[in-house]
Amino acid sequence: MRIIQNFFDSQRKHFVKGGKWEKYYPIFEATETFFFFPDHVTRTGPHIRDSLDLKRFMSLVILALMPPLFFGIYNAGCQSNLVSGMSPDFFPAFTRGLSIVMPLIIVSYTVGFFWEFLFAVVRKHSISEGFLVTGLLFPLTLPPTLPLWQAAVGISFGVVIGKEIFGGTGRNFLNPALTGRAFIFFAYPGKMSGDTVWTVMASVKAGAADAFSGATPLAVAAVTDAYGSTEAALTKAGFTFSTLFWGRHPGSIGETSAFLCLIGAILLMLLGIASCRIIIGGVLGVLSAGFLLNLAATENSLPFLSLNPAYHLVMGGFAFGITYMATDPVSAPGMNTAKWVYGFLIGSLTVFIRVLNPAYPEGVMLSILFMNVFAPLLDHIEIKAKLRKRIANV
Amino acid sequence: MIAIKVKKGYDFKNIAGQPALEAEKPGKPACVAALPEKIPFIKPRLRVEVGDSVKIGSVLFEDRRNPAVRFMSPGGGEIAQINFGPRRIIKEIVIRLAENEAQAEFDALSEKALEQIERDKLVAMLLDGGMWPLIKAFPFRDIADPAAVPPAIFVSLGAKEAFQPAPEVYLNGKKNLFGYGIKILQKLTQNVYAGAAADNPNVLKELRENITHVFKGAYPADDPGVLLYHIKQSSSENRSWYIAGQDVLLLAQFLMTGAYPVERTVAVGGTSAPKKKHFITRIGVPLAHLAPGVNGDVRFTAGGILRGYAASKDGYLGLYETSVTLLPESGEKELFGFARPGFEKPSYSRAFLSFFNTSALPANCNLHGDGRACINCGACAEVCPVDILPQFAFKCVLADEVEESLQHGLLDCVECGLCSYVCPSKVEVCTILKKAKAAYYKETGVK
Ligand code: SF4
Ligand code: SF4
């Protein structure tokens, strides 16, 4: 520990005012504070401060992302091995998964940090820990077959347009990871349309990777043609409720297992990092919208309408989105009632988009971004109502 | 007694180094001092020079804004030093104490005479004896305007910050004096409210007839501003006055004896304090007198860890401050600090294992992180005792939208510091709001 500390102490002189790399101080700071809690002390009252800081806050989100991450690695490898006719056993599947997923994560972090550093240096602000989360969230929402360059473009768009042009973390109103995801969804629909899911397929010749595509559960549900048979069609395509819940099916890397997202959600709620209002509101929103559509379903309507609402919770990216994306405090509303409304509307919009607009089967992404835009309005309404109750003091 | 429930706030009960309830009388210090710099808003004009001999209760300086408001010497002897800060701010007036201190003489007032005296006369007596500055006015917490009649006066016994003197200690044996003090205040206005904590049955029993409100709640439920916020019916009450429990005793003692009172009960605490207990000492005492022989990287705070100021080791206690807290500065770096389980790290959040740790945890002056942009986590709004939404209010202030920040309740802010304490982005929310309040006061000149 002393060695690392001495290293930083000896390098500091180059980065402080007057040093030769003075401009790059944010990079030095970010690296140093990764290793050490800074020794800064309070300058004004209160003289003591809470032990919680953003680094802790964000590392807990990362901790909660570990279950879907590890399962996603395993699952991506497993699905790939299955379609390539190789062993789906744990170990080969996991190593295969690593070789698929790690490059995406590395690209996401490297490219994203490049932009973070660039903006930090130019704008002379410190590097926010928020990117540690964004950089991991983003690849987890991607299908494993996405070309790396597209991932690089996506994360660049997310960081620059989704965050930095608004002034950086804290001032952005869109979730940067989702912004990036949405960008590649629209820019390269062939890879991301959501109708088909892509699994990496190793051809016999080593090194060359190909892709195999199959319908996603959402697409299956959307094209079923007989009334009341959506669940049966899903089961026939291999998506029983329990497969969808546990997550052993092809899909975006981190999103397939609703169960692990649930674990993450519980962890985040217990730690007080994610708002339970948003998550529970979201689940309620899905169930009520699904139920409402059930009521509207007739012999002649879209069969998707009659799907058991619980399926909506486990299909597609909803579980992942509501747990890790919708609860990002920066882009969510800050007021309590507004949080309920926000979560609820994300849930119900997700279902409506999925069912009524088959062109965008993956509704959760759009509905979160859409609600991100309205979050300030929700806050505004609640604040106005609250302030009206105050006894004026001017 | 009316019961009040203060839902928000935060208790610091689990921070180590709290002062014991036992009280000690230390010997007489060599010097005492008055600290004009630490009295907000006043523009002091000196009335003494170095070398002058002074009595306990002779005038040291007055407020140029209203020369009738005077500040007295807390000791008898000789003016040893007058220390100036930048821009000739008067920092300290140090008085070297004589063996036998002379007392300035004022008129005493018996309980009977108090009943008959006119309000104006009483105000004049308090001004004359330098007692007036003990009475402060909302919302800016400046010294009350002697020409005004307040809608109410709030008395705060102040027990909810763990490192402040406990009322059972400073009120010990002074029940009658306190009652007399309340009578003085009742002469100044019709409504005198005194709040006491529901979890302190002894104080409640002792002072039963003088307590009007009993509150349940965490720090800063004891603050007079919080009490005002919770009981006010209309805007007209916003300009109420308040006074601290110990200062009520001083008022009473002054009128009873006709001598300028200087006794103070001071709580000394914090993990670095040599003796963590109450001291019955005097106004303006040197900090080192209460915490001798402290070396190393220790921060002395006068007036509480949340609202007080950082004082130097050879500084003095101000007129209003009644606590000295010594905490390690802790400029230490901690390897992978963010990833530790944190069984020993006090936190408002549930993000550390200390959530399950009920024993007292050490606190220090480390910022525990670095300043970042607000992430809208809402923790500050969860703790604000007067229902301000600090995260939105401070943004209004930074955007220069004064009107809007006022609507947010800026002037209700009791400056408790909890919002800054809990903020994971280490935004100086409380300081921003406090400065905005003071700037607004100076700009508009409203009282
Ligand atoms: S705004 Fe902050 S300092 Fe003011 S009362 Fe609320 S918590 Fe306390
Ligand atoms: S506690 Fe800090 S980061 Fe959280 S909302 Fe308040 S000011 Fe913003």
Side-chain angles (χ1 to χ4, degrees):
Chain A
M1 143 151 201
R2 275 245 62 93
I3 302 175
I4 315 177
Q5 167 120 43
N6 288 344
F7 172 75
F8 280 111
D9 288 345
S10 65
Q11 296 306 309
R12 178 182 321 269
K13 61 176 182 290
H14 301 305
F15 291 95
V16 293
K17 255 206 148 46
K20 53 184 160 174
W21 297 317
E22 176 193 333
K23 270 210 236 109
Y24 304 108
Y25 180 74
I27 302 179
F28 176 79
E29 195 244 40
T31 333
E32 188 190 14
T33 58
F34 177 76
F35 284 102
F36 293 101
F37 243 163
D39 54 355
H40 305 166
V41 293
T42 54
R43 297 203 183 290
T44 62
H47 298 274
I48 56 169
R49 297 301 165 95
D50 201 288
S51 306
L52 180 69
D53 73 334
L54 270 204
K55 217 166 255 133
R56 176 77 177 187
F57 194 97
M58 296 302 173
S59 15
L60 290 176
V61 181
I62 295 202
L63 181 73
L65 270 171
M66 287 299 123
L69 170 67
F70 281 108
F71 180 76
I73 292 176
Y74 160 73
N75 189 46
C78 176
Q79 300 301 332
S80 158
N81 279 0
L82 275 179
V83 299
S84 332
M86 282 149 60
S87 157
D89 287 346
F90 178 77
F91 197 70
F94 194 80
T95 29
R96 178 95 187 96
L98 275 181
S99 72
I100 299 170
V101 176
M102 281 327 273
L104 282 171
I105 295 182
I106 292 170
V107 164
S108 166
Y109 269 129
T110 324
V111 175
F113 265 120
F114 165 75
W115 289 112
E116 286 280 327
F117 281 141
L118 187 73
F119 277 95
V121 168
V122 172
R123 291 235 187 87
K124 303 189 173 44
H125 63 60
S126 41
I127 294 164
S128 167
E129 289 76 11
F131 182 71
L132 290 174
V133 173
T134 308
L136 186 58
L137 272 181
F138 175 72
L140 289 183
T141 62
L142 300 176
T145 48
L146 195 80
L148 293 181
W149 67 271
Q150 285 185 6
V153 173
I155 190 70
S156 305
F157 189 87
V159 170
V160 178
I161 308 292
K163 185 163 85 174
E164 290 299 340
I165 59 165
F166 298 110
T169 302
R171 299 197 181 83
N172 55 313
F173 64 91
L174 295 177
N175 182 311
L178 265 186
T179 314
R181 163 71 140 82
F183 176 73
I184 36 181
F185 173 83
F186 288 111
Y188 311 107
K191 290 283 180 204
M192 298 284 291
S193 70
D195 296 353
T196 48
V197 62
W198 300 70
T199 308
V200 180
M201 189 163 128
S203 49
V204 194
K205 272 177 266 145
D210 208 340
F212 161 87
S213 81
T216 62
L218 286 166
V220 173
V223 298
T224 325
D225 41 29
Y227 170 68
S229 64
T230 325
E231 289 94 343
L234 277 171
T235 310
K236 221 173 98 202
F239 301 116
T240 60
F241 187 83
S242 81
T243 331
L244 290 169
F245 180 70
W246 298 109
R248 281 196 53 172
H249 59 89
S252 295
I253 298 167
E255 298 181 343
T256 58
S257 173
F259 169 70
L260 293 174
C261 293
L262 181 67
I263 303 256
I266 292 175
L267 184 66
L268 285 179
M269 289 193 282
L270 285 181
L271 290 169
I273 301 287
S275 156
C276 45
R277 296 184 177 89
I278 295 177
I279 296 181
I280 298 172
V283 171
L284 292 179
V286 165
L287 294 179
S288 7
F291 187 66
L292 202 72
L293 290 178
N294 282 178
L295 290 182
T298 62
E299 298 275 348
N300 308 322
S301 61
L302 277 172
F304 200 171
L305 294 189
S306 63
L307 180 69
N308 182 343
Y311 272 76
H312 281 293
L313 295 176
V314 294
M315 287 199 304
F318 173 74
F320 190 82
I322 198 77
T323 305
Y324 300 104
M325 306 278 202
T327 54
D328 164 20
V330 177
S331 51
M335 307 295 295
N336 289 345
T337 315
K339 281 183 188 160
W340 280 112
V341 176
Y342 171 83
F344 187 87
L345 288 180
I346 287 180
S348 39
L349 274 178
T350 304
V351 173
F352 287 128
I353 296 177
R354 276 179 183 176
V355 175
L356 302 179
N357 191 349
Y360 303 119
E362 192 37 287
V364 67
M365 173 182 83
L366 292 180
S367 56
I368 295 178
L369 284 175
F370 188 74
M371 289 313 297
N372 279 173
V373 176
F374 282 99
L377 181 69
L378 292 179
D379 266 349
H380 182 79
I381 296 172
E382 192 179 346
I383 291 173
K384 274 272 129 60
K386 244 189 137 159
L387 294 190
R388 216 169 297 131
K389 280 195 226 130
R390 285 194 91 88
I391 296 173
N393 189 352
V394 287
Chain B
M1 281 186 255
I2 303 165
I4 303 278
K5 204 166 169 170
V6 181
K7 289 201 199 90
K8 298 182 191 165
Y10 180 53
D11 256 332
F12 287 90
K13 287 257 156 65
N14 65 340
I15 287 185
Q18 291 177 16
L21 287 184
E22 138 208 14
E24 175 185 321
K25 278 197 179 156
K28 184 170 155 175
C31 298
V32 292
L35 314 176
E37 186 200 8
K38 299 298 181 199
I39 303 173
F41 303 114
I42 62 159
K43 297 206 166 74
R45 181 192 293 138
L46 273 177
R47 295 274 302 273
V48 286
E49 279 170 27
V50 176
D52 285 3
S53 68
V54 287
K55 299 177 185 169
I56 296 180
S58 29
V59 186
L60 288 183
F61 58 98
E62 62 196 20
D63 186 0
R64 241 185 291 175
R65 300 174 306 167
N66 180 359
V69 177
R70 315 194 292 173
F71 298 82
M72 306 315 206
S73 171
E78 190 189 280
I79 306 283
Q81 293 165 21
I82 300 180
N83 299 327
F84 294 91
R87 286 193 288 148
R88 285 200 62 82
I89 280 183
I90 311 168
K91 286 176 73 168
E92 295 165 343
I93 304 169
V94 183
I95 301 126
R96 190 178 309 114
L97 297 183
E99 190 89 17
N100 290 313
E101 297 172 61
Q103 279 274 2
E105 277 173 35
F106 300 95
D107 293 336
L109 202 63
S110 69
E111 207 152 330
K112 200 127 183 217
L114 177 69
E115 267 162 38
Q116 279 145 17
I117 194 171
E118 282 161 41
R119 186 179 185 278
D120 291 350
K121 279 231 179 77
L122 180 66
V123 172
M125 281 177 85
L126 294 178
L127 281 168
D128 204 43
M131 301 308 292
W132 192 259
L134 298 177
I135 306 172
K136 297 227 185 167
F138 289 117
F140 302 104
R141 305 194 168 227
D142 192 3
I143 294 164
D145 176 9
V149 178
I153 298 181
F154 290 83
V155 177
S156 133
L157 296 182
K160 280 291 177 179
E161 198 208 294
F163 294 87
Q164 298 285 5
E168 56 265 51
V169 177
Y170 69 74
L171 286 169
N172 188 12
K174 301 206 170 130
K175 185 180 154 196
N176 291 337
L177 205 58
F178 187 77
Y180 185 66
I182 296 284
K183 289 215 176 76
I184 300 171
L185 297 176
Q186 277 161 347
K187 270 275 162 187
L188 297 175
T189 183
Q190 271 182 349
N191 307 311
V192 175
Y193 303 125
D199 52 12
N200 205 335
N202 290 340
V203 172
L204 277 181
K205 219 170 92 208
E206 268 288 283
L207 302 179
R208 201 168 332 121
E209 61 267 37
N210 289 316
I211 301 290
T212 56
H213 294 81
V214 184
F215 56 79
K216 274 204 181 92
Y219 169 83
D222 70 302
D223 187 277
V226 177
L227 188 56
L228 166 66
Y229 174 78
H230 281 89
I231 68 174
K232 73 179 172 187
Q233 305 283 334
S234 77
S235 306
S236 62
E237 290 161 63
N238 285 328
R239 297 304 190 257
S240 294
W241 292 356
Y242 70 95
I243 182 168
Q246 281 212 49
D247 296 346
V248 175
L249 297 180
L250 293 182
L251 281 190
Q253 216 180 331
F254 170 73
L255 284 188
M256 258 188 180
T257 60
Y260 185 78
V262 293
E263 189 185 288
R264 265 285 185 233
T265 303
V266 178
V268 179
T271 37
S272 306
K275 287 187 197 163
K276 301 168 199 50
K277 53 164 122 170
H278 289 69
F279 287 89
I280 300 175
T281 173
R282 53 195 288 171
I283 295 174
V285 66
L287 301 182
H289 189 67
L290 302 178
V294 175
N295 288 311
D297 230 358
V298 170
R299 181 179 301 191
F300 282 67
T301 47
I305 41 176
L306 289 143
R307 306 187 190 201
Y309 55 84
S312 87
K313 196 164 123 178
D314 27 55
Y316 301 83
L317 205 59
L319 173 61
Y320 299 107
E321 281 70 41
T322 54
S323 75
V324 181
T325 314
L326 286 79
L327 292 173
E329 284 278 0
S330 198
E332 250 185 41
K333 299 184 181 195
E334 192 185 6
L335 188 64
F336 292 125
F338 67 93
R340 304 196 170 193
F343 198 63
E344 291 252 293
K345 294 185 173 181
S347 177
Y348 165 75
S349 70
R350 302 196 289 264
F352 296 91
L353 281 184
S354 61
F355 184 66
F356 300 104
N357 191 348
T358 48
S359 50
L361 306 175
N364 57 38
C365 300
N366 195 302
L367 199 51
H368 300 296
D370 265 318
R372 296 287 186 252
C374 164
I375 56 159
N376 199 19
C377 68
C380 48
E382 275 168 35
V383 292
C384 178
V386 292
D387 302 320
I388 296 175
L389 301 166
Q391 78 270 45
F392 295 103
F394 96 81
K395 282 172 200 160
C396 294
V397 167
L398 294 187
D400 246 339
E401 288 171 16
V402 185
E403 272 313 306
E404 219 177 316
S405 64
L406 291 174
Q407 276 175 22
H408 269 283
L410 178 69
L411 299 190
D412 286 333
C413 171
V414 299
E415 303 169 16
C416 66
L418 279 181
C419 46
S420 301
Y421 174 80
V422 298
C423 180
S425 291
K426 315 294 165 188
V427 180
E428 299 286 354
V429 192
C430 175
T431 309
I432 294 172
L433 297 181
K434 213 161 127 180
K435 280 193 179 150
K437 250 174 101 173
Y440 177 69
Y441 182 36
K442 281 179 189 154
E443 210 167 277
T444 57
V446 287
K447 281 240 169 167

